[in-house]
């Protein structure tokens, strides 16, 4: 057993979203989701189990990260229990994109952590099993185990052992591109976990959100199967706005958008409805707008969104592969 491994995972962008838990202790989502795994944004993580350590040590982008430390240690505890190990680990991790600003850094972060830690402890888990463990750490992380387009549907088992992501389409099967309009680089004030809890308890729209989620997923799956961009655009924007309606009608209200977020949404709609571009938007627990488009329209979408007042930078990505181990010599 090597006791050390390096993994890379990319964030995923949900088109049908997970917001709310049916079991908080097991971290089981209340709604089915469907997402695109990106290519050019990544998290790289080295996990090294060291006999001399008395506690897990986390180094994030070259420094300490007290906020993430307990979640990382909890994830490592589950993996240690599975492997029958008591060794503590040194975890070095780096993102090549802004963290905790609604760009799904917890998805790529926990997917990379689970892949590296299980490999380092000699556990040969298949992608479904890796996805179950990643889901326990962060619901969206279950999906970054897979590349291309995948779903995370509720399983039948009460313990969540079959609630894992499943591949729907490989990264090359339908070339889509994602243009991210970054409207703020500040860390978000309310985490998705806290936001979900308050939405579940207080939003009058939460029940309707949960009731309609599975139907949205079925429509999105059918659109993906037939490569029907217009149908996917329709159900994705509808699902995104329903989730933000739950957020905005929670008490206290959760408004992740900035003025530039709204201006970008309007621009995306005009690009599609007035200019005939193949593009639609989605927004997660943060102010960034992700515009999903066909590759032939990506340049014009990127330059149009760059010109929206308040947009700070544009990131672009095609669809990419799932989480995997990479060379142990990779610098973090
Ligand atoms: O699993 P978390 O805590 O990263 O929550 C994900 C919440 C959303 O990004 C808003 C939706 C989703 O399905 O990714």
């Amino acid at each position: 057993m090597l006791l050390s491994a390096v993994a890379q995972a990319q964030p995923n962008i949900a088109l049908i979203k997970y917001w709310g838990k049916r079991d908080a202790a097991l971290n089981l989502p209340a709604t089915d989701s469907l997402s695109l795994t990106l290519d050019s944004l990544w998290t790289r993580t080295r996990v090294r189990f060291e006999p001399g350590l008395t506690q897990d040590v986390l180094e994030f982008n070259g420094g300490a990260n007290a906020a993430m430390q307990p979640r990382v240690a909890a994830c490592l505890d589950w993996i240690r229990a599975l492997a029958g190990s008591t060794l503590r680990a040194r975890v070095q991790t780096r993102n090549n994109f802004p963290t905790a600003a609604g760009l799904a850094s917890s998805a790529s972060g926990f997917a990379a952590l689970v892949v590296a830690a299980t490999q380092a402890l000699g556990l040969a888990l298949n992608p479904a099993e890796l996805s179950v463990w990643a889901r326990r750490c962060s619901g969206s992380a279950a999906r970054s185990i897979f590349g291309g387009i995948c779903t995370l549907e509720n399983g039948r088992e009460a313990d969540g052992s079959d609630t894992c992501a499943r591949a729907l389409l490989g990264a090359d099967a339908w070339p889509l591109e994602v243009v991210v309009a970054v409207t703020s680089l500040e860390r978000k004030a309310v985490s998705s976990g806290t936001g979900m809890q308050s939405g579940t308890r207080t939003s009058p729209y939460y029940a309707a959100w949960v009731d309609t989620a599975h139907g949205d997923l079925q429509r999105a799956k059918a659109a993906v199967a037939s490569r029907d961009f217009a149908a996917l655009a329709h159900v994705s924007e509808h699902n995104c706005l329903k989730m933000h309606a739950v957020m905005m009608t929670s008490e206290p209200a959760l408004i992740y958008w900035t003025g530039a977020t709204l201006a970008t949404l309007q621009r995306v709609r005009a690009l599609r409805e007035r200019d005939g571009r193949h593009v639609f938007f989605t927004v997660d627990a943060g102010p960034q707008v992700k515009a999903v488009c066909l590759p032939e329209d990506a340049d014009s979408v990127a330059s149009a969104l760059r010109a929206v007042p308040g947009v700070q930078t544009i990131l672009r990505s095609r669809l990419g592969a799932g989480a995997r181990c990479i060379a142990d010599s990779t610098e973090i």
Side-chain angles (χ1 to χ4, degrees):
M1 200 193 300
L2 288 171
L3 294 180
S4 173
V6 181
Q8 172 169 325
Q10 285 102 246
N12 66 76
I13 306 296
L15 303 184
I16 304 300
K17 312 229 183 239
Y18 144 54
W19 193 255
K21 300 178 200 278
R22 75 177 161 93
D23 184 318
L26 294 169
N27 208 33
L28 295 175
T31 57
D32 297 338
S33 54
L34 177 147
S35 63
L36 314 176
T37 299
L38 302 182
D39 184 41
S40 59
L41 280 57
W42 48 251
T43 299
R44 288 181 181 159
T45 300
R46 168 175 287 108
V47 178
R48 186 182 290 133
F49 289 91
E50 294 182 16
L53 286 178
T54 53
Q55 58 173 24
D56 297 314
V57 179
L58 171 64
E59 184 191 302
F60 179 80
N61 283 350
N65 187 322
M68 285 310 287
Q69 172 80 27
R71 285 181 71 187
V72 167
C75 174
L76 291 173
D77 282 344
W78 292 321
I79 292 168
R80 273 189 283 263
L82 200 63
S85 169
T86 54
L87 292 174
R88 304 287 134 177
R90 194 177 298 282
V91 177
Q92 287 175 295
T93 186
R94 186 156 64 91
N95 288 348
N96 75 340
F97 62 96
T99 300
L103 282 173
S105 55
S106 71
S108 52
F110 284 105
L113 181 67
V114 165
V115 169
T118 52
Q119 170 80 8
L121 287 180
L123 290 165
L125 303 188
N126 64 36
E129 292 165 327
L130 289 166
S131 178
V132 166
W133 290 106
R135 190 215 73 236
R136 286 202 68 165
C137 304
S138 167
S140 58
R143 301 185 308 241
S144 276
I145 297 294
F146 292 91
I149 305 181
C150 71
T151 57
L152 173 56
E153 295 186 51
N154 259 326
R156 291 164 201 268
E157 304 297 333
D159 67 357
S161 54
D162 61 344
T163 301
C164 61
R166 287 190 172 76
L168 203 58
L169 221 52
D172 300 325
W174 190 14
L176 297 172
E177 191 159 331
V178 180
V179 175
V180 183
V182 176
T183 68
S184 165
L185 288 167
E186 277 174 37
R187 291 179 77 88
K188 62 186 169 206
V190 180
S191 72
S192 46
T194 306
M196 284 184 205
Q197 252 177 24
S198 117
T200 308
R201 274 188 290 107
T202 64
S203 171
Y205 298 157
Y206 181 74
W209 159 250
V210 173
D211 282 352
T212 55
H214 188 68
D216 287 356
L217 178 83
Q218 297 308 328
R219 285 157 75 194
K221 278 168 84 170
V224 168
S226 57
R227 314 287 194 275
D228 184 341
F229 189 87
L232 187 62
H234 184 90
V235 70
S236 300
E237 289 192 355
H238 176 63
N239 183 271
C240 164
L241 293 173
K242 271 193 295 193
M243 179 183 74
H244 283 273
V246 170
M247 293 166 166
M248 289 177 188
T249 52
S250 298
E251 294 181 84
L254 197 49
I255 305 176
Y256 283 114
W257 298 2
T258 63
T261 308
L262 187 54
T264 308
L265 300 189
Q266 304 286 32
R267 193 73 191 88
V268 168
R269 294 186 67 168
L271 282 165
R272 182 174 67 242
E273 287 161 15
R274 198 192 59 202
D275 305 339
R277 303 289 175 201
H278 296 90
V279 61
F280 64 87
F281 64 74
T282 191
V283 187
D284 291 296
Q288 331 306 0
V289 178
K290 290 102 181 194
V292 180
C293 47
L294 293 183
E296 61 264 32
D297 287 329
D299 284 344
S300 50
V301 167
S303 53
L305 299 191
R306 194 173 285 119
V308 173
V311 169
Q312 311 205 357
T313 94
I314 293 286
L315 307 170
R316 290 176 64 165
S317 182
R318 300 226 170 184
L319 305 196
R324 64 221 174 262
C325 282
I326 56 173
D328 217 28
S329 54
T330 308
E331 289 233 359
I332 304 292

